[in-house]
Amino acid sequence: MSAMALDTVKRGRIDHVLPQGYLDGFSSPSKKGRLSVFDRDNQRWFEASTRRIGGIRGFYDYPPGSQPDQTADQAFARLEAQFPPVRRELVENSFSNWRVLLDFLLHFAQMLRTTSELYRQQDVAHSRKQTMFKVVEVLERKPSERQPGRFDETLSVRPFRPVDQREYETLLRNKAITDMRTEIAKGAAWLSERHWCLRFAVNPTDPVITTDHPVVVDGRSPTLEEALPDPNTLVFFPVCWQACLIGSMAKFDKETDAFHSDDLIRLRGIQLKLAQRFVFSPSRVAFGLAAVNAAPF
């Protein structure tokens, strides 16, 4: 698709920051497509369909006049389409085949992490602290010695000074969406460096839940940078109400096992603490106390 064609893509649609196909895995077994949703701001439960929750109008739209080589939707369309049948296959096989599908599940978790509001906020905040440069001229272009088939370019650059605040905000938004696409293209990335286990639940009244920040970490270290290599740190990715993947730098004694009810309550407490606003569940559940050093990704 050409840059000109990309600029004519319909804008202002409802973009589901949490894909409907993912949220459907947390819907009530007796009311397919219906979720119990906890609003953290107002401290109340309500019922909603997967179509009417978790969406932001135009969240992945490049601003008018931008000329990206790919839309944001194209970056994650394949993962979104493949996840529901993968989840159904896992459930039908009682999760016995989860290790075969682990690479895909971790890639999907990476996608959820980078398509979130939190990632956008963090990327923009980081960019505001950086000095940006604009390419003025390509001085030299020669075949790359490290990447056959590609070219290394010597560029003439100068500091980028936006004309006005609107131009600057457009630049930051463009960069954040492009950074998101870049992260998704890396696949499972750092998630694949961990050991993983799967813990499952059997009762929709005592389920695994998810939030508007699905991938979270729980550790003892004071900062995220210190927490990630720590063998005591756990990374949680809720796959559906029946299952959650748990990652660590240390190996697990059991790769597949049932959740204890107390562990589920504690995990739900961590998730509630880190939710930006909404928690999604097949039923109204109890929340435990959140770990002090838990943090969203």
Side-chain angles (χ1 to χ4, degrees):
M1 185 181 292
S2 69
M4 183 177 295
L6 286 173
D7 198 42
T8 63
V9 172
K10 185 177 178 181
R11 302 176 189 278
R13 298 165 300 172
I14 295 295
D15 290 322
H16 281 84
V17 181
L18 282 181
Q20 294 178 63
Y22 173 68
L23 283 179
D24 195 54
F26 298 88
S27 63
S28 168
S30 60
K31 299 177 182 178
K32 210 60 181 167
R34 299 291 296 179
L35 297 158
S36 291
V37 184
F38 186 74
D39 182 339
R40 207 180 82 159
D41 289 352
N42 297 306
Q43 293 290 295
R44 69 180 184 90
W45 285 95
F46 63 94
E47 307 301 310
S49 71
T50 57
R51 289 186 178 185
R52 295 186 176 275
I53 199 74
I56 301 174
R57 190 172 295 280
F59 187 67
Y60 301 124
D61 290 352
Y62 278 98
S66 304
Q67 294 186 336
D69 59 351
Q70 184 187 54
T71 66
D73 301 58
Q74 287 173 294
F76 48 75
R78 179 183 63 82
L79 291 168
E80 282 195 8
Q82 290 182 348
F83 183 79
V86 167
R87 186 194 68 238
R88 288 192 290 270
E89 180 182 344
L90 287 166
V91 173
E92 289 169 2
N93 287 280
S94 300
F95 301 98
S96 61
N97 60 333
W98 70 269
R99 289 215 63 87
V100 177
L101 298 167
L102 181 60
D103 285 345
F104 172 82
L105 293 171
L106 296 182
H107 192 178
F108 188 81
Q110 171 78 335
M111 184 207 77
L112 290 182
R113 183 184 75 82
T114 57
T115 56
S116 70
E117 287 185 85
L118 178 66
Y119 179 83
R120 175 77 60 85
Q121 292 164 3
Q122 291 175 335
D123 189 275
V124 169
H126 177 73
S127 297
R128 289 188 193 280
K129 299 176 183 178
Q130 309 302 308
T131 300
M132 297 189 182
F133 293 87
K134 183 176 184 178
V135 175
V136 179
E137 182 182 2
V138 178
L139 301 177
E140 185 180 12
R141 190 169 187 264
K142 60 183 181 180
S144 174
E145 295 180 359
R146 290 180 295 181
Q147 295 180 295
R150 295 180 177 271
F151 290 86
D152 291 330
E153 296 178 339
T154 302
L155 306 175
S156 171
V157 299
R158 68 184 178 198
F160 175 75
R161 295 181 177 85
V163 174
D164 54 33
Q165 188 63 28
R166 183 175 179 179
E167 182 186 10
Y168 185 50
E169 296 302 323
T170 295
L171 173 68
L172 294 178
R173 180 182 178 88
N174 282 346
K175 180 179 179 300
I177 297 174
T178 300
D179 288 348
M180 175 197 75
R181 290 169 40 202
T182 301
E183 288 300 306
I184 293 172
K186 293 178 182 178
W190 58 270
L191 292 172
S192 63
E193 298 170 1
R194 291 174 145 66
H195 299 284
W196 291 88
C197 72
L198 182 138
R199 296 293 179 260
F200 59 87
V202 295
N203 189 340
T205 64
D206 189 22
V208 173
I209 64 171
T210 195
T211 76
D212 38 22
H213 294 318
V215 183
V216 300
V217 62
D218 179 30
R220 302 172 185 173
S221 302
T223 67
L224 193 59
E225 290 72 18
E226 293 174 286
L228 289 179
D230 188 337
N232 294 307
T233 295
L234 297 177
V235 179
F236 297 95
F237 169 49
V239 177
C240 57
W241 74 258
Q242 298 103 316
C244 183
L245 285 171
I246 305 173
S248 171
M249 296 304 290
K251 288 187 176 181
F252 294 94
D253 293 334
K254 290 186 178 180
E255 287 195 337
T256 309
D257 203 2
F259 263 118
H260 294 294
S261 186
D262 289 347
D263 290 334
L264 272 172
I265 292 173
R266 177 177 172 274
L267 175 57
R268 292 197 290 257
I270 294 171
Q271 292 172 292
L272 175 65
K273 176 184 177 182
L274 301 177
Q276 180 153 354
R277 182 170 181 186
F278 295 119
V279 173
F280 307 98
S281 172
S283 60
R284 302 184 181 195
V285 295
F287 295 110
L289 296 176
V292 173
N293 292 320
F297 275 90

